[in-house]
Amino acid sequence: MILAIDIGNTNIVLGCIEEKILFVSRITTNKQATQDEYAISINNILKLHKIDPEKIDGAIISSVVPAINNAVYGAVKAVTSHEPLVVGPGIKTGLNIKLDNPAQLGSDRVVGAVAAIAQYPKPIIVIDMGTATTFCAINELGEHLGGIIYPGVKISLDALTQMASNLSGISLTKPKKVIGSNTADSMKSGILYGNASMIDGMIDRFEEELGKTRTIVATGGLSETIIPFCKHKIIFDNDLLLKGLKIIYDKNVE
């Protein structure tokens, strides 16, 4: 059994994996939290899911928040008595990255691509909707060609409510119709259908360059909210990054 941790800008996703994922949990990413505070959070989550830390055989971390890497690394070591692998230079992933500078590819995008290639028919578009929304293009050879990054759903909504004085916060529930007849429904429609339309349009543009894709897969905290409003057939896989972390862990402990 391994402990897999994906550190994002908004949330830290963690889970224990044997042959299958035993649980998935989330804690808030906190740049001010200490190693001990993260250790307490991880230990409490393991207790909540009735996982004995002594039965954990290893751990792996992916992070896009370098400022907390040392604290989480130390916390995992304290809780499990294992030094975790960290996705980055020197770690075997098996991913052929065709970027101008492969080192610039975020570890979350590496992990997602590794999982998608292992699980789904190629070519593949991988969509990850978190703090940022990212697309990754994978060709029929399993090569990572590149992608896009644009502001995520919550960033867009927060910017709208903070910068426009007359617009207040809303819940992301489905509006009655696309053409809103009040401010709240107009905002909901703009965020939900606007992001869905952006995803649909970007898929069309990717396929113009990549060719017709066999698989479009989405992951990330906000995918489940937006993907149902898209017109393309998109597979929702909320555990994609944890699956990728398990694959990478296995490649490095053989």
Side-chain angles (χ1 to χ4, degrees):
M1 178 169 56
I2 71 161
L3 175 64
I5 298 180
D6 175 57
I7 301 173
N9 287 291
T10 304
N11 292 314
I12 298 173
V13 180
L14 64 157
C16 279
I17 310 170
E18 290 183 317
E19 294 302 317
K20 63 179 182 179
I21 296 172
L22 302 180
F23 75 86
V24 178
S25 190
R26 284 173 168 78
I27 59 176
T28 301
T29 302
N30 181 357
K31 293 181 181 179
Q32 281 70 51
T34 66
Q35 175 179 310
D36 287 345
E37 288 171 323
Y38 277 119
I40 291 168
S41 295
I42 294 169
N43 196 47
N44 285 341
I45 287 170
L46 294 177
K47 286 182 178 178
L48 178 66
H49 294 281
K50 298 179 172 58
I51 301 292
D52 182 354
E54 292 186 359
K55 294 184 178 179
I56 294 175
D57 301 307
I60 183 168
I61 297 171
S62 166
S63 175
V64 295
V65 190
I68 68 169
N69 287 0
N70 288 340
V72 176
Y73 183 99
V76 171
K77 185 178 178 181
V79 171
T80 68
S81 300
H82 296 289
E83 292 194 6
L85 296 173
V86 179
V87 179
I91 291 291
K92 292 183 288 186
T93 66
L95 183 63
N96 191 357
I97 303 171
K98 297 291 189 178
L99 300 185
D100 296 339
N101 181 359
Q104 289 183 339
L105 186 64
S107 62
D108 55 338
R109 300 175 77 188
V110 170
V111 172
V114 167
I117 290 168
Q119 189 170 351
Y120 298 108
K122 303 180 287 289
I124 308 169
I125 296 173
V126 181
I127 305 166
D128 191 345
M129 301 187 69
T131 305
T133 296
T134 65
F135 277 57
C136 294
I138 298 165
N139 66 15
E140 64 280 356
L141 300 176
E143 299 169 331
H144 190 296
L145 303 181
I148 61 140
I149 304 170
Y150 64 85
V153 175
K154 190 174 185 304
I155 286 179
S156 299
L157 180 57
D158 288 348
L160 183 64
T161 56
Q162 289 170 15
M163 300 301 292
S165 300
N166 288 332
L167 300 180
S168 58
I170 58 168
S171 61
L172 291 178
T173 55
K174 182 179 180 180
K176 297 173 184 176
K177 53 187 185 298
V178 174
I179 302 172
S181 55
N182 57 66
T183 301
D185 279 352
S186 296
M187 291 173 66
K188 290 176 185 179
S189 185
I191 292 295
L192 295 173
Y193 289 109
N195 276 276
S197 297
M198 189 180 298
I199 288 170
D200 282 327
M202 195 58 68
I203 289 170
D204 291 338
R205 290 176 182 270
F206 265 54
E207 290 189 334
E208 288 175 6
E209 294 187 19
L210 184 63
K212 186 68 176 176
T213 52
R214 295 282 301 281
T215 310
I216 305 167
V217 59
T219 192
L222 289 164
S223 291
E224 194 170 15
T225 301
I226 302 298
I227 294 307
F229 296 95
C230 294
K231 293 183 178 181
H232 286 83
K233 181 182 177 181
I234 302 172
I235 299 167
F236 173 66
D237 189 340
N238 200 36
D239 300 329
L240 189 71
L241 269 62
L242 292 185
K243 294 173 184 175
L245 285 170
K246 177 64 164 64
I247 293 168
I248 294 171
Y249 180 88
D250 290 342
K251 288 180 181 292
N252 287 273
V253 297
E254 293 175 345

